[in-house]
Structure formats: structure tokens, C-alpha cells
Amino acid sequence: MPFADVEARAARVRSRLAAAATAAGRKPADVRLIGVTKTHPPEVARAAVAAGVTELGENRVQELLAKLPLVPSARWHLIGYLQRNKVKDVVGHAVLVHTLDRRSLADALSRRAAAAGVVQRVLVQVNVGEDPAKHGCQVDEALDLVAYARDLPHLAIEGLMTIPPLPAAGEDASAAARPHFATLRRLRDEARARFPEVVHLSMGMSADLEAAVAEGATMIRIGTALFGPRESGPWRPEEVGT
Ligand SMILES: *Cc1c(COP(=O)(O)O)cnc(C)c1O
């Protein structure tokens, strides 16, 4: 997608964000825009950075690692499921891992961060819709997982993340998602009462960002509205010499 298109789409997303924030009595600057570049080539990520969208997210580790050196000026977030054997590739590269959802992964992340001499920033992913098709810990496990992970020496637990269930056909996405966003916010408030560093709410995508901002999102993860429809599969660098 040409730069001018990304720039125009970014302006539209920013004005949606600003309108939603203002309607909720919030400051637009308190909601961070993360551009989700999955399946798109690095040129699209560069266009995003040029348009001022400098925080970018990928849901696959391989794709994040492939683009990161090609777009080093971006700050890269991991927003997809993390397997334990990929932890070593992510720690120290992703500014924020949004998808901590189990103790064994917390242990692995902290161990790797210790070896790398860093503190890895993470969010705990909660499956607020109890959707069997989605990752994330259960609602009633979330506070325990936060408490467990924050005791690990090389993790910083900064908030919670969720992906709500897909709306039913014909249902308004924002209206369908809003109660799930409200659940995440209540959980965050409970966690923050015990652990003041748990501040962030990563929630809201192209179709439901208004509801997310109304419920207190501090990070929205936007793909389609910024970059158009996705390609059919992950982006891969061209194989050399084949
Ligand atoms: C793909 C993806 C998004 C972006 O979704 P859009 O509807 O295209 O904005 C957000 N969050 C996660 C975790 C994703 O995988």
C-alpha cells in the first residue's frame, strides 16, 4: 500500500481515536496507537513509521524477527501466542509482549530475560469471552497469574490484554465487545489496587476501537483500518539462491 494511503488512513484512525477519547472525557494522547502489520511487507511498516505510527505489532514471532532489522526505527510489540521455544527470540527484541497467559511461560520469559540481562515488559492476556478458540488465561486466574509473574525478577507486568469473541453476523462489533472490555477494565482495577504498576489495557481493534477507548483502553491494536485487507499468509523475506 502506497505511503499516501497509509498516511490518510492513519489520519482517519487518529480522528476516530480522538473522537472516542473526547466522548469518554479522556485525552487522546493517553491512548497509544499500535499498527498491526502482520502479513504486510516491510515497506508498509516503513510507511506507518513515516506517518508517525512508530509502535508496530506482529502476532507471529518469525514475522516479527524478519521485519525488525528492516524497520529498526519502529518499536515492535508481540501480540500473538508465544510458544516456549520462541521465548529466546523475543526477549529483548519485543518492547512489550502482550500475550503472557500461563505460569510456565512467565518462568521461561524471566529466565531468558535474566540470561540476556534485561527486564522484559509484558501484559497478561485474559480470555474475557471464555472463547475456546482464543488464547489467554481465564478471568478467574488472571489476578493469580499477575501476582505470580510480578514476583519473577526479570519481568515487569504492566497491564492486561484481551481479544473479544467475534461478533455474531449482523451484530455491531463495538456493542458486542464492550462488556468484554468492561470485564478487562474491572480486572485491571482490581490488579492495580494491589500492584500499582499494572496500568495498561491493550484492547480494541479496527472494528471496535470506540468501545475499547470508552472502557479505558491505553493501547489499541489496529491492522485493517490502517493497512487495508491482509495478505493470505505471513510475510516472508525472499529466499536467496533458490
Ligand atoms: C490482527 C490483530 C489485530 C488487528 O486487527 P484488525 O481488526 O485488523 O484491526 C489486533 N490484535 C491482534 C492480537 C491481532 O492478531
Side-chain angles (χ1 to χ4, degrees), residues 36 38 59 79-80 161 163 205-207 221-225 230:
V36 179
K38 65 187 183 206
N59 68 334
I79 62 170
M161 176 272 209
I163 308 168
M205 311 196 291
S206 294
R221 310 176 308 264
I222 306 297
T224 314
R230 280 184 273 280

Side-chain angles (χ1 to χ4, degrees), residues 8 24 58 98 108 127-128 150 208 220 226:
E58 288 286 339
H98 292 229
N127 187 0
V128 286
R150 74 180 292 283
D208 56 21
I220 57 174
L226 284 172

